[in-house]
Amino acid sequence: MVNDNTPPDTLRSVLASIGVALKARNGADKELADILATHLLVADPTNGVVEDAHLAILKLAAARADLPEVAS
Amino acid sequence: MTAPPYVLTELTLSGFRAYLKPKTFDLSRKQSMVVFAPNGKGKSSIADALEFFFSDDGTLERIGIRTINNKAGVIALAHNRAEQQRIESCVIATFSRGNVAATGKRPTSGERLRPDIASEVKTQFVVDPIIRGNSLRQFVEQRTAEQRYEDVARWLELGAYVDVQTKLRELRRKVKASVEDEQLRRSFEVQLGRKTAGLLTAWDDPKVLAHINNLLAVLDEKLVAVRIDPVDPALQLLKQRAAVEAKQIGLVGLRQIRLAATALFNAESDESLPAGLILEVENAANELTAAEEIEVRERAAAANAIFDQVWKNAELLFAEDQPPIDTCPVCATPIADTVAGSVEGIRSHLAGHINELRQYASAKKVRDDAASKFLNQKTQLLNAINALVALLSEDDATLIAAAKGYATAVQSWTRDPPERADLTSQLVSLSGQLAISIAHLEAEQGNHTYTNTQAVVAALLELKFEYDAAARRQAKLRVLYDELQIQSQYVAAAIRGKVQTVLDSLEAPMNQIYREIQRESAVPIRLHLPAEEDTNQQRLNLVVDFADNREGVQPVGYLSDSQIHSVALSLRLAAIKRCNVGAPFVVLDDVVTSYDADHRLALASLLAKEFAGLQLIVVTHDERFFLYLRDHLGDPNFQYARILALEPNSGPRFADERVSDQMIEDKWANGQSAANDIRQAEEEWLLAVCRDFGVDVRIRTVERAYSYERSELASALASFLKARGLTPPPVPGVNNRFLVSLQSGVVENFGSHFQDAQYGALSTGDEKVRWSEFVYFRDQFVCSHCGKKRFKRPNVGVNKPICAAESCETPFAFGAPAAPFPSRVDSEASPRSIVG
């Protein structure tokens, strides 16, 4: 007993492929793409995932601004 | 390599819903099942069992968990007698995947934990495989675009995609807000204002540098910073000078020492400045001496104060509002004979004594207060001496010695003040010297010490560091925000494309199914997403192109009930078929309620044509639909079951799918019509005898499977018999032959097959007449030798069927029927007795 249809792509695989394609784009900011892939392009996002992504972007900006971890 | 799909191979309902005693459906050989039952006989419990088995919360959607708001709660899952009869209430299901089988049991009580196999199989259900007719119409008629989107999004997991878009928008808003955040800038401005005494309110490097140089110029005009940087030479020099200054007694220190000295003795005191603690303690000592002298004097005046209580009691006795007394209440001496001589005299005597006592009490309190004050001020004086000594340096050894000596004397000071001339003269001298030094420093630099200036500059440098870092971070964040915009657009476009692809892939098969059911009346259905720029993407418009001038209109208002029902059913079926590849499994619970006979046939044909490859569990209360399905889905993977009754002590009672004579008799005994059962029995017999005889029956295509009916079977059987010279004996008393009647098709269910004209109207006995005719005819198909009723195809050289009994194998020939035709059928109103 077989359903002849091709299995639809799973949500996880589709989002993952979007994440991969995002990072592979010419001139793409791969670290930012990685944040989006890690936090948003997932099948089972946790609560507060947007805030987590927001903080990750702020942290990335801070790191790029070469801020020390703790201001003296 | 794709894993094989999950298949339900066994399902057991125990103490669950209508099923009290355990009932197991074996689906291992015939994997699809069609169950017919009248309403309220337990057919939907099968669909319930599967819904419960897979549910997240261990319940059914329509009963909920708690008994509240018209919901029955999980207590309704169990059969009401299960607990009493100690029958475990649960659902057990076995699924196989290839050669691997797994069984899970889910109880209806306790935590109702979902078994692992249920969770595993459920992951394969992209679309809910259980379709219930009573909720289908709601999708088209009652659900809003948002609600409908929720349904379809849940089926196709579109919700998660759009949820990503929503979260991306939210993230962009947050990052943009951070980029444009003015709070940080304002915070810097506030801090800058504080550190520049309000001279600067907005950060500007040249202005801040100018401010620093202004501070440096006060100290040394040659100190000029060229940049706001800790390594700037001028600022480095400032730091060094501040360090040197810190090792000296600065203006603040000098002021502090002078203040401590004048706190002890202030030669320059006037009305506004205190004279110092030394003099204050001496004054306190003098006050104490004076108070002590007064107290001694008053104590002598009140020497007889020991009679205080006597005087107070006597005062009460001789009070003016008391009745006068003539004799002393203590010694009985007549009042006139006392020294006072009268009551008035006694009152005056008493007043004098009491006044003396009051004056003594007052003097004693003054003395006590003075003693306390003296003690407190001595303590303050000693503390002040110690504070001064702590501030003095080794250069002030003489003063320190004098202060310590004086402190020792103060500690033992009780009456006469200790000698202080040496100390006070040194204090006056120190105070004067300090005043000169302080005046000099104040004249030279005021508060602008290197130390103070270094502190201000250091704070500004730190603020500059933070300001620059924040500015760099904001700049980087803006770049990230711009990139986020680009990446969000890319993701959104990819997701929208994916969603549209999914919808498109669903739309075509949905319309195909819809056309199969509705035939020529079907109009195209479209799944319509909002425009891309619409911020609310979580809507799905389901529209139909009703006519050239009515394209993209809502189905409700243009489609009939059955069409609307078909739209919803088509969408669900298409979605299940497309998406549930890992578990190709469909449960249909009473989905033909809105359909007439043609649509039931069409749906049966559709299921046979399009869904025979899936595992179908169909429950229906519609017997015709059941029969149609049996006709159409006549493949070896299907099994059929009828529920005859719901037994209170066990649950649904199933019958074999074949209609027995007893079932028909039972229906009549219960006052019910058996017309459909008779029809089915006739078909079953015709099929069986045609198979046994090897009759050449043309197999219909699936599109016209429903037209495979008795007339064709009868025609084929008649031809077969005629070719072999076998003529069925006529039924006594009637003027037509059974097979001829069936072939002509002019007489249908409720008339005799042996009459060209129908029986009279309102003939309630027609069913029995017809049944007796059929039974008489059927019973002629017996072995003339052994009486058995099963035959097999002719052997080589024999053109007649032969008895199936191996010991017999007698060629078939008509003989006398096993039982004589009844002389009279108990027909209460038949106008034409078959007995001639």
Side-chain angles (χ1 to χ4, degrees):
Chain A
M1 186 155 295
V2 177
N3 187 343
D4 294 334
N5 280 309
T6 303
D9 296 330
T10 64
L11 172 69
R12 194 180 306 278
S13 66
V14 170
L15 293 180
S17 66
I18 293 175
V20 170
L22 195 61
K23 284 185 262 191
R25 286 170 57 245
N26 278 338
D29 186 325
K30 291 181 172 45
E31 287 178 298
L32 177 62
D34 196 51
I35 290 172
L36 298 185
T38 302
H39 294 281
L40 297 184
L41 298 175
V42 292
D44 45 2
T46 56
N47 287 336
V49 67
V50 174
E51 189 53 38
D52 290 346
H54 179 217
L55 291 175
I57 291 173
L58 294 181
K59 191 175 177 183
L60 178 60
R64 290 180 176 180
D66 199 20
L67 277 178
E69 288 296 321
V70 180
S72 59
Chain B
M1 183 175 175
T2 306
Y6 279 106
V7 176
L8 175 64
T9 54
E10 195 171 275
L11 177 67
T12 299
L13 286 69
S14 171
F16 182 83
R17 303 289 288 162
Y19 291 75
L20 178 57
K21 293 189 175 172
K23 167 69 179 177
T24 297
F25 298 94
D26 181 4
L27 300 163
S28 58
R29 287 176 299 156
K30 297 188 174 187
Q31 293 167 343
S32 290
M33 177 171 70
V34 184
V35 177
F36 160 76
N39 284 327
K41 295 294 188 290
K43 65 179 184 309
S44 289
S45 295
I46 299 170
D48 290 347
L50 290 166
E51 181 186 340
F52 166 71
F53 191 70
F54 292 118
S55 65
D56 291 332
D57 299 328
T59 186
L60 305 178
E61 185 177 352
R62 69 176 186 277
I63 71 169
I65 293 177
R66 287 185 291 277
T67 308
I68 188 172
N69 295 336
N70 295 327
K71 300 256 182 176
V74 291
I75 192 174
L77 290 171
H79 192 287
N80 63 312
R81 297 188 183 184
E83 187 175 0
Q84 178 192 2
Q85 298 197 19
R86 297 185 179 180
I87 294 175
E88 184 181 13
S89 176
C90 63
V91 172
I92 305 170
T94 300
F95 284 86
S96 66
R97 190 176 208 182
N99 296 324
V100 180
T103 300
K105 178 171 77 173
R106 190 167 201 179
T108 67
S109 58
E111 295 183 25
R112 309 188 306 283
L113 293 176
R114 183 165 59 193
D116 291 343
I117 184 61
S119 300
E120 173 57 27
V121 174
K122 190 173 183 183
T123 62
Q124 306 296 320
F125 293 152
V126 179
V127 182
D128 184 355
I130 301 173
I131 303 177
R132 297 185 189 267
N134 59 6
S135 59
L136 262 179
R137 293 170 59 86
Q138 295 174 1
F139 182 84
V140 179
E141 290 182 321
Q142 297 173 12
R143 305 287 275 174
T144 63
E146 284 81 0
Q147 292 169 329
R148 197 179 293 130
Y149 177 84
E150 283 180 14
D151 288 343
V152 174
R154 182 160 46 84
W155 299 343
L156 305 182
E157 291 187 321
L158 299 182
Y161 291 117
V162 180
D163 195 39
V164 172
Q165 291 177 303
T166 304
K167 285 185 166 58
L168 266 177
R169 279 197 295 274
E170 189 181 345
L171 178 61
R172 287 206 309 271
R173 280 198 299 273
K174 280 179 175 287
V175 175
K176 185 181 182 187
S178 295
V179 169
E180 297 174 347
D181 186 11
E182 291 290 309
Q183 191 174 354
L184 189 62
R185 184 180 58 77
R186 283 197 295 272
S187 170
F188 277 114
E189 289 173 355
V190 169
Q191 291 184 61
L192 182 64
R194 285 175 183 163
K195 293 181 192 313
T196 62
L199 293 174
L200 299 176
T201 54
W203 190 275
D204 181 71
D205 275 0
K207 288 183 179 177
V208 174
L209 184 61
H211 178 76
I212 289 174
N213 281 327
N214 286 339
L215 295 176
L216 294 176
V218 174
L219 300 171
D220 184 348
E221 290 182 351
K222 296 177 181 174
L223 277 180
V224 179
V226 295
R227 54 182 174 152
I228 312 169
D229 192 324
V231 299
D232 180 89
L235 299 183
Q236 288 276 333
L237 195 55
L238 169 67
K239 190 174 180 181
Q240 291 168 11
R241 290 183 182 178
V244 171
E245 187 182 74
K247 294 178 181 175
Q248 300 173 344
I249 299 175
L251 190 58
V252 174
L254 294 176
R255 283 173 175 163
Q256 196 173 3
I257 295 171
R258 187 166 186 271
L259 193 63
T262 54
L264 286 174
F265 187 82
N266 187 1
E268 300 172 355
S269 70
D270 54 23
E271 291 180 354
S272 62
L273 291 173
L277 279 168
I278 291 175
L279 293 179
E280 288 179 13
V281 177
E282 286 181 354
N283 288 338
N286 292 336
E287 289 174 10
L288 175 59
T289 300
E292 285 175 340
E293 289 172 0
I294 294 171
E295 190 265 348
V296 169
R297 189 170 62 246
E298 290 297 329
R299 191 194 316 152
N304 48 3
I306 54 173
F307 297 108
D308 182 27
Q309 194 60 42
V310 175
W311 302 138
K312 287 181 179 177
N313 289 336
E315 187 180 32
L316 293 174
L317 191 63
F318 291 95
E320 290 183 0
D321 57 348
Q322 294 296 320
I325 52 177
D326 297 330
T327 57
C328 175
V330 178
C331 59
T333 304
I335 298 299
D337 295 343
T338 62
V339 176
S342 65
V343 171
E344 288 74 18
I346 290 172
R347 285 177 184 155
S348 175
H349 184 70
L350 288 172
H353 279 297
I354 290 170
N355 187 49
E356 287 169 354
L357 284 171
R358 285 174 181 156
Q359 286 181 353
Y360 166 66
S362 174
K364 187 172 182 300
K365 184 175 186 307
V366 169
R367 187 211 62 184
D368 291 345
D369 290 346
S372 177
K373 180 180 178 184
F374 175 63
L375 190 61
N376 287 339
Q377 291 203 332
K378 266 202 335 180
T379 303
Q380 289 180 37
L381 177 59
L382 290 171
N383 290 339
I385 291 170
N386 290 334
L388 174 64
V389 169
L391 291 170
L392 296 175
S393 67
E394 293 174 352
D395 298 339
D396 302 309
T398 306
L399 176 56
I400 292 172
K404 289 184 175 177
Y406 181 72
T408 303
V410 167
Q411 286 175 335
S412 58
W413 182 2
T414 55
R415 182 162 297 276
D416 296 328
E419 177 55 44
R420 59 170 171 81
D422 180 35
L423 175 62
T424 54
S425 67
Q426 288 195 54
L427 289 173
V428 170
S429 173
L430 174 66
S431 181
Q433 290 170 11
L434 289 173
I436 293 170
S437 298
I438 290 169
H440 172 73
L441 283 174
E442 286 178 344
E444 186 176 295
Q445 64 181 35
N447 287 324
H448 299 286
T449 64
Y450 282 103
T451 304
N452 287 346
T453 303
Q454 161 63 15
V456 173
V457 170
L460 288 172
L461 285 172
E462 183 180 344
L463 196 60
K464 160 77 172 168
F465 178 81
E466 292 177 0
Y467 182 85
D468 286 350
R472 285 197 305 275
R473 188 175 58 209
Q474 289 300 96
K476 297 293 182 186
L477 191 59
R478 179 169 291 283
V479 172
L480 279 171
Y481 175 68
D482 293 341
E483 175 68 12
L484 177 63
Q485 294 276 71
I486 296 170
Q487 295 198 5
S488 295
Q489 288 172 5
Y490 178 84
V491 172
I495 287 177
R496 185 179 171 82
K498 171 66 184 174
V499 170
Q500 194 59 60
T501 301
V502 172
L503 287 178
D504 290 348
S505 69
L506 186 61
E507 194 175 286
M510 178 183 72
N511 276 303
Q512 183 185 350
I513 293 172
Y514 183 55
R515 281 192 300 274
E516 290 282 346
I517 300 174
Q518 290 296 329
R519 308 280 177 184
E520 65 280 356
S521 69
V523 293
I525 311 163
R526 284 192 284 116
L527 301 174
H528 189 61
L529 276 179
E532 189 167 3
E533 63 275 13
D534 196 327
T535 55
N536 183 5
Q537 287 285 314
Q538 293 179 309
R539 290 183 293 139
L540 177 67
N541 294 313
L542 193 151
V543 296
V544 295
D545 295 328
F546 182 72
D548 291 343
N549 60 349
R550 290 290 188 276
E551 290 188 349
V553 295
Q554 295 291 327
V556 178
Y558 289 94
L559 302 186
S560 69
D561 282 353
S562 75
Q563 286 171 326
I564 288 173
H565 187 90
S566 297
V567 168
L569 182 60
S570 303
L571 182 55
R572 280 291 289 278
L573 285 173
I576 289 172
K577 186 177 181 185
R578 181 192 176 280
C579 301
N580 291 1
V581 179
F585 176 76
V586 186
V587 179
L588 298 173
D589 180 11
D590 261 348
V591 294
V592 295
T593 309
S594 299
Y595 289 161
D596 59 21
D598 287 342
H599 288 129
R600 290 172 198 170
L601 283 169
L603 180 59
S605 173
L606 169 80
L607 293 176
K609 181 180 176 183
E610 300 291 340
F611 290 86
L614 279 68
Q615 184 171 28
L616 292 176
I617 307 294
V618 182
V619 294
T620 179
H621 75 273
D622 189 291
E623 190 169 15
R624 287 196 176 203
F625 184 56
F626 174 77
L627 297 174
Y628 293 146
L629 284 171
R630 195 202 57 181
D631 286 348
H632 293 43
L633 302 174
D635 86 37
N637 273 333
F638 278 82
Q639 55 183 290
Y640 304 89
R642 286 170 173 269
I643 298 175
L644 297 178
L646 184 61
E647 303 294 346
N649 293 321
S650 60
R653 177 162 59 86
F654 282 78
D656 187 272
E657 64 145 333
R658 291 179 65 85
V659 178
S660 67
D661 293 7
Q662 187 59 48
M663 286 169 57
I664 291 172
E665 295 292 341
D666 287 346
K667 281 215 165 183
W668 287 331
N670 292 330
Q672 297 173 325
S673 167
N676 285 333
D677 305 82
I678 292 171
R679 173 193 168 105
Q680 187 181 346
E682 291 170 357
E683 291 172 2
E684 288 170 359
W685 177 81
L686 278 167
L687 272 172
V689 74
C690 285
R691 286 197 186 105
D692 283 359
F693 281 8
V695 172
D696 183 17
V697 179
R698 184 164 58 91
I699 303 301
R700 292 278 182 186
T701 60
V702 289
E703 287 83 355
R704 295 192 60 227
Y706 53 87
S707 60
Y708 179 76
E709 54 191 19
R710 289 170 302 172
S711 63
E712 292 178 287
L713 291 170
S715 179
L717 180 59
S719 300
F720 180 89
L721 295 175
K722 186 176 181 181
R724 288 155 181 79
L726 296 169
T727 304
V731 177
V734 294
N735 58 5
N736 209 332
R737 291 181 185 277
F738 187 77
L739 289 175
V740 175
S741 169
L742 287 178
Q743 290 175 70
S744 68
V746 296
V747 181
E748 256 307 330
N749 293 351
F750 302 101
S752 167
H753 301 289
F754 296 84
Q755 311 300 331
D756 292 331
Q758 291 186 358
Y759 282 97
L762 304 176
S763 171
T764 56
D766 286 351
E767 287 179 11
K768 295 180 181 178
V769 173
R770 172 182 157 195
W771 179 245
S772 62
E773 293 166 354
F774 168 71
V775 170
Y776 183 85
F777 177 77
R778 182 191 68 188
D779 288 350
Q780 295 178 93
F781 288 74
V782 297
C783 177
S784 58
H785 179 71
C786 68
K788 293 192 180 303
K789 297 182 178 178
R790 298 303 303 270
F791 297 88
K792 53 187 179 182
R793 298 183 181 203
N795 290 327
V796 177
V798 181
N799 69 345
K800 294 179 182 176
I802 57 176
C803 178
E806 290 187 4
S807 60
C808 181
E809 293 193 341
T810 303
F812 174 74
F814 284 109
F821 191 75
S823 59
R824 177 176 175 77
V825 172
D826 184 16
S827 172
E828 59 190 63
S830 174
R832 298 179 61 185
S833 169
I834 57 175
V835 183

